[in-house]
Amino acid sequence: MTSPAEFYETHRDLLDRAIEAAATRDHWSAYPESPSKSVYGEQAAPAGEQAFQALLGKDFPIEVPGATTSVATERSPYGIEMGIRYPKGEPGDLAAAARAATPGWRAVGPHARAGVAAEILRRVNARIFEMAHAVQHTSGQAFVMAFQAGGAHAQDRGLEAVAVALAEQTRIPATATWAKPQRGGDPLRLSKTSTPVGRGVALVIGCNTFPTWNSYPGLFASLVTGNPVIVKPHPGAVLPLAITVQVAREVLTEAGLDPNLVTLAVEERGDGIAATLATHPDVRIVDFTGSSEFGNWLEANARQAVVYTEKAGLNTVVVDSTDDYRGMLRNLAFSLSLYSGQMCTTPQNLLVPAGGIETDAGRKSPAEFGAELAAAVDKLLGDPKRAAGTLGAIVNDGVLARLTEAGSLPGVLHPSAEVADEQFPGATIRTPVIARLDASDEKTYTREWFGPVSFVITTESTGHSLRLFTETVRHHGALTASVYSTSEDVLAAAREAALDAGVHLSQNLTGGVFVNQTAAFSDLHGTGANPAATASLTDPAYVTGRFFTLQSRHHVSEESNA
């Protein structure tokens, strides 16, 4: 057995470095993102694949409080049979087990909790190849992306939440002596203790597309701030979070703690267990990534809890001018194509003035820009192997339906086409749809088309583009925004527009950084300042609502103080 305090001592340097990185915001990563043999060892890749294969068609080895039945709900977008069965517990049993585990977790204190969390992440990282296959075959991400976004980058986001949670809980000293001078007598002396106390049972509701990346911040922020966590995966992406919960329970048990501090809540499709748990009186924290409809419902109905949501939005690009036209087209083509646009950060609306844009290749009209953007997508995806690695697979029928609907719109510049994957003949892979619209077609572009669907929208001017950007994001939300311009005045106006809209802004991205990628410890994800999200990963506000600091005080004599 390893005590929680020993886990903290083991990971003290890592946690100190993570806290420093979150403060300085420079590049730093704790977990290598390259699936190279030189990084993870010769046997890591085949061992990880074998571990994944060994899970298929079997009962997943995990204990769930009160479980009497099991469910198998996953379908791989790559066409392989999953058939993994998970034990299903009842919401009341899960909440009761979580509450019973709380006192011991509170007693170990924030440093030890952070040490346990860091050990969980270490062991998850040791299974990163297995995790990558799990993410690939539940989300449709291509393997390298699953390794990076679902593995190393998710783990970085988890560690970032641990670091911020530890820093915020220790901002107030655990003990202090208070002495108030008295005229003609000894000072009044009090000894005071300050104890961070978790808000209560936390619920993490996972999504289908990024089951680990979007769930780890809430999971680890709640855990380290003293709360037990019920992890409720999307029925289509259970395995990545089941592995995570399995590891967490192993570490908690080894630390002599109740493993029911982290439990798994699965369901048959349509059961609605997320709504039941989210409104349970013992659940005091809810983290959710997914549709605006259910996110809005949670915000309105989970009134006993603090609710952190990441929902839909209209990610927007304002195109004014550029001195690197080919670089801009390459960058946008990749941003639209990566993971088939199934990212909450993928650009949807590209605003182009009717008078065209000045470029180093001459003035380009909206029609010319749209046609050349479509050609850049074709060039990027021209090789089927590279196309499959960039696009991944379509995650569910809803994305396919939107893709088909968008393909029937007038003004299609780039129709969607099927792409074959030699390794997975059953994979569902499609190239993006790009269509031209006018600024008056607001019923179309003010709806979120999650998936590989984007619009080149003609506006009256760049000023009109900026006004439209501000209005649509304020009303409908966005997680990202971009501007391309050679004018400092336009860039300044775009920055002001982004501040008014409450969204992060990228300027003139033409190289190897893309608007739909964010780096842990540096880039904030979401703002909480527009309807797309109620929080930002990972700032102090994301963790401080998960705990209270309670004080105890008593008189002390001068002698005992000495």
Side-chain angles (χ1 to χ4, degrees), residues 145-295:
M145 182 176 182
F147 187 94
Q148 294 177 340
H153 297 171
Q155 293 152 24
D156 274 335
R157 279 294 184 192
L159 182 61
E160 179 184 34
V162 172
V164 177
L166 178 57
E168 292 303 315
Q169 287 179 100
T170 54
R171 192 172 300 280
I172 296 174
T175 61
T177 299
W178 179 86
K180 181 180 180 180
Q182 297 293 302
R183 182 179 298 176
D186 294 335
L188 294 174
R189 296 181 182 275
L190 291 175
S191 176
K192 302 184 180 185
T193 63
S194 297
T195 304
V197 176
R199 183 178 285 269
V201 178
L203 171 67
V204 174
I205 304 172
C207 65
N208 201 169
T209 48
F210 287 87
T212 52
W213 198 98
N214 279 111
S215 295
Y216 280 13
L219 166 59
F220 286 100
S222 286
L223 195 63
V224 174
T225 51
N227 307 281
V229 184
I230 300 171
V231 178
K232 189 273 166 194
H234 187 283
V238 180
L239 183 57
L241 291 178
I243 292 171
T244 305
V245 173
Q246 181 191 59
V247 171
R249 292 175 64 85
E250 290 172 355
V251 173
L252 289 164
T253 299
E254 184 177 322
L257 295 161
D258 190 331
N260 290 330
L261 284 163
V262 183
T263 54
L264 184 70
V266 298
E267 63 175 342
E268 293 283 3
R269 292 177 184 269
D271 278 356
I273 192 177
T276 302
L277 281 167
T279 53
H280 191 285
D282 288 339
V283 171
R284 300 302 175 89
I285 303 165
V286 177
D287 285 277
F288 167 76
T289 301
S291 70
S292 290
E293 182 182 8
F294 190 54

